[in-house]
Amino acid sequence: MKKWTMALVATSFLLLTACGESNEEEQGESSDPLEVAVIPAQSSGEMSDGLNALETSLNESMDQEVNVDHYPSYNAVVEALNFERIDLAYLGPLTYVIANEESGAEAILTQEVGGEPFYYSYIISHVDQPWDSLDEMLEQSEEVDFAFGSVSSTSGSLIPGLELRDRGVFESEEENEFASVRYTGSHDVTANAVQTQDVQAGAIDSAIYNELVEDGTIDDSQIKKIWESDQLYQYPWAVPQSMDDDTKQQFQDAFTKIEDEEILEIFGGASAFVETDHSNYESIAQAAEDFGMLNMESIEE
């Protein structure tokens, strides 16, 4: 009888220990930090303080710890989102629709600028150039050095590239009717190249252009806008397909109550964060498909 009692106690102890370890593992898993990744919308120095403030704000609002990181490239963010190594990603509309196509990533947030969730692609030129419209410039296309931003940019590459292709002057960096075509890698470099007349025209994000003018990086009196796209829905924040509804709602609640100017400023001079969904990006997905860019190979490393 004594041996049986001792065996029962030992078995119970082992069961309790196993359950305890299991609960600890489950709690450890549930308490893993949520990882938020942000594309390089501006220089690292300009974004650092704002992202630190964002991390602090999210940690005050969310049930789990949150880490916010500035990723070095579009490709790195999309790969991390596709393989669910991150829980929320801020990326351009083009890179988002590629992630949606590849892994079912879902847009849940965006930002308003000036009270509207839209921006535009501009083609800009120096005021000393002898044209005032895109039509006039294209009459002399063989004399124009043209700059796009990043290959992966919606407003700095995809949308203006489609416009120029429809006008019969552009197919690729190698096949076009310009004196030369280059990809600068960022909107601010494109703007500076136009202002210094290193190129005769370039494509740029309207919100970033306005921000560059506001902070004095670009002299608006030296630049003229010769083309503007239709409305584009602002950059999305996307979650992996497997994200649970509760965490999605927590992210949405945490972002939509943010009023800190230091945070809002680094996202195109946003006035607020608002909820969104995939339907607002279907036109971008169609444009990417039309241009053969709805795939990972189209994302710049």
Side-chain angles (χ1 to χ4, degrees), residues 11-297:
T11 302
S12 299
F13 176 77
L14 290 172
L15 288 171
L16 287 170
T17 302
C19 289
E21 289 175 351
S22 176
N23 287 338
E24 285 177 7
E25 288 174 2
E26 288 176 6
Q27 289 171 2
E29 289 176 0
S30 65
S31 62
D32 286 345
L34 294 167
E35 301 294 337
V36 177
V38 177
I39 60 167
Q42 301 179 46
S43 69
S44 296
E46 291 175 318
M47 295 197 72
S48 179
D49 290 343
L51 292 182
N52 288 338
L54 175 61
E55 184 174 274
T56 298
S57 177
L58 294 178
N59 275 295
E60 291 172 351
S61 300
M62 305 283 291
D63 290 344
Q64 283 177 254
E65 180 185 351
V66 180
N67 294 329
V68 178
D69 289 312
H70 190 198
Y71 271 49
S73 70
Y74 290 86
N75 183 275
V77 175
V78 176
E79 287 283 5
L81 187 60
N82 287 344
F83 288 98
E84 301 191 2
R85 294 194 293 268
I86 56 177
D87 302 289
L88 182 70
Y90 174 73
L91 60 174
L94 173 57
T95 42
Y96 160 64
V97 297
I98 292 172
N100 175 266
E101 177 73 11
E102 293 283 330
S103 66
E106 177 190 358
I108 64 167
L109 288 156
T110 189
Q111 45 280 323
E112 292 183 340
V113 177
E116 292 189 344
F118 306 110
Y119 73 116
Y120 304 86
S121 173
Y122 289 164
I123 293 179
I124 57 174
S125 187
H126 195 277
V127 292
D128 289 345
Q129 297 299 336
W131 46 69
D132 294 312
S133 69
L134 183 58
D135 287 333
E136 291 178 5
M137 187 194 79
L138 294 183
E139 291 175 3
Q140 305 173 49
S141 62
E142 68 283 353
E143 300 175 13
V144 175
D145 295 307
F146 193 92
F148 292 104
S150 165
V151 173
S152 307
S153 171
T154 307
S155 56
S157 175
L158 173 63
I159 297 302
L162 276 172
E163 179 70 20
L164 295 173
R165 188 185 72 171
D166 290 345
R167 291 171 181 255
V169 295
F170 176 77
E171 286 294 333
S172 67
E173 188 174 5
E174 297 75 27
E175 187 180 349
N176 58 77
E177 300 298 322
F178 294 106
S180 70
V181 167
R182 72 182 71 174
Y183 288 87
T184 68
S186 69
H187 298 284
D188 55 340
V189 176
T190 298
N192 186 66
V194 171
Q195 181 165 289
T196 60
Q197 301 193 65
D198 189 34
V199 296
Q200 282 70 56
I204 190 170
D205 176 310
S206 64
I208 294 176
Y209 175 78
N210 292 335
E211 200 171 355
L212 291 171
V213 170
E214 185 175 337
D215 67 21
T217 302
I218 294 299
D219 182 357
D220 191 42
S221 69
Q222 297 299 303
I223 304 293
K224 55 185 171 184
K225 180 178 66 181
I226 61 173
W227 177 81
E228 177 180 303
S229 72
D230 293 335
Q231 287 181 337
L232 304 172
Y233 224 82
Q234 275 285 353
Y235 290 31
W237 296 78
V239 296
Q241 185 181 42
S242 64
M243 175 67 70
D244 63 275
D245 290 340
D246 180 61
T247 306
K248 281 190 284 190
Q249 190 63 57
Q250 282 192 49
F251 271 128
Q252 289 174 321
D253 292 344
F255 271 84
T256 54
K257 72 178 186 182
I258 289 174
E259 297 180 348
D260 187 336
E261 291 295 333
E262 190 173 34
I263 298 172
L264 294 167
E265 182 62 28
I266 63 172
F267 298 106
S271 51
F273 292 106
V274 294
E275 295 184 16
T276 192
D277 58 52
H278 181 71
S279 66
N280 291 315
Y281 300 94
E282 289 176 348
S283 62
I284 298 297
Q286 186 60 58
E289 185 173 13
D290 291 347
F291 215 19
M293 295 185 71
L294 199 59
N295 53 69
M296 289 297 295
E297 291 72 29

